[in-house]
Amino acid sequence: MRYATRGTSSLSALVFLITVSCSAPSSDSPILTADVPLHLEEHLDDAVVTGSEVPEEVPEPVEWRFDEPQPDWRAVEPWTPIEPAQVTFTDDALRLTLLEGNKNPWGRPVGGIVVGLPDWDREDWSHVVVRARASDPEGIRGIGLGFNRREGSGTTEEAPYPWAAGGDGAPLVTDGEIQTYQLRADFSRGIWEGPLRKLGFWFGSAEPGASIDILSVGLIPKEANYAGEPVGAREEVRNKVHRRSIYTHAPGRLEYRVRIPEGGRLDMGLGVLRDDAPIVFRITATAGDRTYGLFEETFADKTAWGQRSVDLSELAGQTVTLALETESERTGSVALWGAPTLTGGTRAARPNVIFYVIDGGAADFMSAYGYNRNTTPNIARLAEEGALFEWAYSNASWTRPSTASFMTSIQNSVLGGFLNWNDPIPEEATTMAEHMHRAGYQTGVFTANPNAGTLSNLKREVDLFREDWDDFAYFGGENHKESSRFLHEGFWEWRADYPAQPYWAHFQTTDVHADFPTVAPFAGMFVTREEFEQVESWREQLREAGGGGLWSEAYEETGINRQALYTYALGLYDEAMAHNDYQLGRLVDRLKAEGEWENTLLIIGGDHSIRAAFTDLAIGLSDSIPARWSDPIFRPTIGKVPLIFVWPGHIEGGQRFSQPVSMIDVLPTILDLVGLPMPEIMMGQSLAPLLMDTEGWEPRPVIFDDFTVDRETDELRGTIEVLDGRWGASLEINPRPPDEDDTEEEIAQWQRPVPLLLYDLWSDPWALWSVHEEHPELVEKYTKFLEEQWAAHQALAQYFTRPDDVELTPEQLQALRTLGYIGN
């Protein structure tokens, strides 16, 4: 029988008696229960495995390293009569350079490299992994994969693109560091028949002279990642949805001893590696001497999850042997069971938790915090139902370090600082998702910023993970100003597929992040179409004048009024905030309509303030501009964020707290409120005593730190800061020495005159002007205090080790470019 429909399969409709040849688990096998969601991938040690043998012959990974001769790699001959790119070999890399003779009919230099292959089957290969170094932000900006060569040749009026099929592509990070890019090997635009004979890359630049260094190219077989064990659990991604999954080799069978709960159901995704090897997925349950066939389907779509559900309610109360089986004509084919979760229909004892982070959300520009524009009426109503912290801060200045800190309750410098775009947080740091998953929660993440997800490895122990704002975003689809709407849709799809409770969901929207305008009807609320076009015109003029940053001389050269520009920019930000607020209101309305609101703890926060939207509005709107080095994290437009807790029937509504707190307090607060153990290592403290009006909270200064690893010395460079009542202090650690070619003016702008800057937040609430010269006694006090904090951070950092880098995917890189982290 085959059941290919989406949704729940009725046991009474699907049950059929079958005979199973292999033996059932012994009576010594543990009996699993589903009082809270039972994640089968977490219980492989309790399963009996039959079959699932690793094939004897699995293709080996292939790697070309260019620190040694690789004569098979050469410049590819373009399809039209222009010159091939220049290829040279350095000590450690193949260097491709685009010159005047490489210009296409539209005046842009293009070219590529190629290697011949011995008629390989493309279905055997999963990814091409490229290690490359690019240093010119105006040079080569992207890398494109190509397969086989087009037949014949073209004319000088046609595009010189040589490939029969274009493969995956990705933007480049042009910071001069070695980056690792992961490109799909089984994806192409275009169709060719026959084997894979040539593999290559294609590049383009705006002007001649651009180059890129390629250090290595690796070709990864699909089965290679699964050849170590017959059965295992790992994260898998299909159609941009990541799931914790069980893999087996067909034919294979997993058996669990399970007590079926009331209203029992099994939800899972089906996944395969290949289109040419369909797999039969089958689920049976054995109770006593009867075996019930519950589900059977043949599945062969390697690009998507097949979401399925099996109704087990008619077996409620029975202890059964639940078997997950796979078969395939291609012996050894890998089968994936995506997030197989057994749940019941009883109400959860613990509340659901929704952690809603507005990426770039500024508290001071929310009407819920007293802002004069009505940007957040829904958040204001939610604050009346719960508790609002008037002075909450992120612990770092931007998404990557801030999110990692509040997801672990550990400061950035302790976690190792920022190394590059693909350095995940240490495995020893337990994330919020891991805490919740291990307590039986279903876990889901819905983010539009890879710095809050895969780039930091914050997908660990997340059952379902979405990291995009639109299924077509990478190919030019809807912009990320609608991220909240798309992420909410993904959340409700997850709830339909996995409806049990309790669940933990993390949202991180980018509606108010860089790049405007927002969508109708919110576009135009505060900035007219003419004013928006004026902003775009001004920004283009500034770029053409060689600048646009706050300290650029281009303002004087163009005559553009900086304050007018930033006033309009603030209006654009406010429109985006109003859109996000509206979508959040709709999310809460639906939670109420679905009957989930009364059992849900909602936390609204931010990872940093408004600066990511349009440089730094505090400086842009001010009468005069301080030096570049005057940018403390505790400046409200950098670090001040919303923090609101709502839990109907538990947290009293209408509370407002004036005590300074930080986002690093969120993890211990959630664990405290839902009754889970605290982390072994945490640097925040629970706010539950404040929220619940009990003893146990102690006022303390807010600590910030934001560090980058110097790739030459391995030193951490950055600042550690403190907000202590009236005073804010920022201590620079291991300042970067001036470069030989820095001018005196550049040194004056970039280099701090003293290690510690001091701000009087009573007279200078935006922290623009340091008063260290007027208060030497406070400089001494806070220097000593922050040096002691830094020493403690260094000591605590010994508990954590930086994991290996991960490969950057095209989707991650495109998101980084769209959000303004890497150049356009």
Side-chain angles (χ1 to χ4, degrees), residues 216-274:
S216 67
V217 175
L219 198 52
I220 311 301
K222 288 184 177 178
E223 274 86 2
N225 291 324
Y226 311 88
E229 299 290 341
V231 175
R234 52 178 289 134
E235 178 228 324
E236 294 285 343
V237 58
R238 298 290 184 278
N239 54 302
K240 298 187 179 181
V241 175
H242 302 248
R243 297 177 191 259
R244 291 273 299 162
S245 304
I246 297 174
Y247 70 82
T248 66
H249 302 268
R253 177 182 172 96
L254 294 177
E255 297 177 345
Y256 295 89
R257 291 276 288 166
V258 179
R259 181 174 294 112
I260 305 298
E262 294 295 327
R265 58 183 283 164
L266 179 65
D267 298 289
M268 70 280 177
L270 310 180
V272 297
L273 298 189
R274 310 170 64 105

Side-chain angles (χ1 to χ4, degrees), residues 728-751:
S730 174
L731 179 67
E732 190 173 24
I733 301 295
N734 297 325
R736 181 183 70 84
D739 291 332
E740 294 181 0
D741 55 353
D742 284 348
T743 66
E744 291 185 6
E745 182 181 0
E746 288 172 333
I747 293 173
Q749 282 282 359
W750 285 104
Q751 303 296 319

Side-chain angles (χ1 to χ4, degrees), residues 403-655:
T403 305
S405 287
F406 63 64
M407 281 299 184
T408 59
S409 194
I410 299 172
Q411 296 279 6
N412 171 247
S413 62
V414 178
L415 293 174
F418 175 74
L419 179 65
N420 55 36
W421 287 111
N422 52 344
D423 56 333
I425 63 173
E427 294 288 343
E428 298 92 342
T430 306
T431 68
M432 189 183 298
E434 289 175 311
H435 282 288
M436 305 306 284
H437 193 268
R438 293 169 189 178
Y441 276 75
Q442 296 188 100
T443 52
V445 170
F446 308 88
T447 176
N449 190 336
N451 283 311
T454 55
L455 288 176
S456 302
N457 201 18
L458 285 170
K459 61 185 182 299
R460 297 188 326 225
E461 295 195 31
V462 175
D463 297 321
L464 185 139
F465 186 102
R466 290 190 68 106
E467 187 178 79
D468 66 337
W469 50 83
D470 173 16
D471 285 342
F472 306 100
Y474 181 60
F475 300 107
E478 300 289 343
N479 70 50
H480 73 87
K481 312 310 288 182
E482 288 190 277
S483 70
S484 56
R485 178 167 72 86
F486 287 109
L487 297 179
H488 297 175
E489 290 175 0
F491 167 79
W492 288 115
E493 289 176 5
W494 177 55
R495 293 296 299 132
D497 294 339
Y498 294 87
Q501 303 181 49
Y503 61 80
W504 169 89
H506 166 216
F507 290 94
Q508 194 134 337
T509 65
T510 58
D511 295 28
V512 301
H513 213 282
D515 186 33
F516 294 96
T518 192
V519 295
F522 299 92
M525 283 183 66
F526 306 118
V527 178
T528 67
R529 182 67 190 178
E530 292 74 20
E531 290 168 339
F532 170 70
E533 290 174 352
Q534 181 66 79
V535 170
E536 293 294 281
S537 173
W538 282 344
R539 295 179 74 179
E540 181 60 30
Q541 291 177 55
L542 290 167
R543 282 191 291 267
E544 291 177 355
L550 282 166
W551 293 268
S552 172
E553 296 178 357
Y555 286 96
E556 287 71 26
E557 182 179 331
T558 60
I560 292 171
N561 185 306
R562 170 175 49 81
Q563 289 176 312
L565 172 62
Y566 275 79
T567 298
Y568 292 154
L570 176 57
L572 293 170
Y573 177 91
D574 292 343
E575 291 174 351
M577 180 66 77
H579 174 261
N580 201 153
D581 176 79
Y582 168 74
Q583 296 294 347
L584 177 54
R586 293 185 66 198
L587 176 71
V588 171
D589 287 345
R590 185 163 174 185
L591 287 167
K592 292 178 179 178
E594 299 285 343
E596 296 185 4
W597 178 245
E598 297 300 320
N599 194 43
T600 297
L601 168 62
L602 170 67
I603 305 96
I604 302 170
D607 61 335
H608 53 78
S609 188
I610 198 172
R611 186 166 70 166
F614 205 97
T615 317
D616 192 330
L617 281 158
I619 303 177
L621 293 170
S622 61
D623 293 329
S624 57
I625 301 178
R628 291 178 187 259
W629 42 259
S630 182
D631 61 344
I633 305 170
F634 50 76
R635 176 176 294 154
T637 53
I638 298 176
K640 189 180 178 187
V641 296
L643 185 57
I644 298 168
F645 289 79
V646 187
W647 188 10
H650 294 81
I651 294 176
E652 183 179 349
Q655 298 185 83

Side-chain angles (χ1 to χ4, degrees), residues 15 40 72 194 238 248 290 322 326 378 387 482 591 686 791 799:
V15 167
L40 295 182
D72 293 337
R238 298 290 184 278
T248 66
R290 298 184 64 187
L322 188 67
T326 57
N378 290 291
E482 288 190 277
L591 287 167
S686 173
Y799 288 92

Side-chain angles (χ1 to χ4, degrees), residues 366-390:
M366 292 179 169
S367 51
Y369 280 79
Y371 185 46
N372 61 350
R373 281 177 172 159
N374 192 23
T375 53
T376 57
N378 290 291
I379 292 176
R381 283 192 290 270
L382 288 168
E384 288 303 312
E385 295 185 46
L388 179 148
F389 287 86
E390 296 175 332

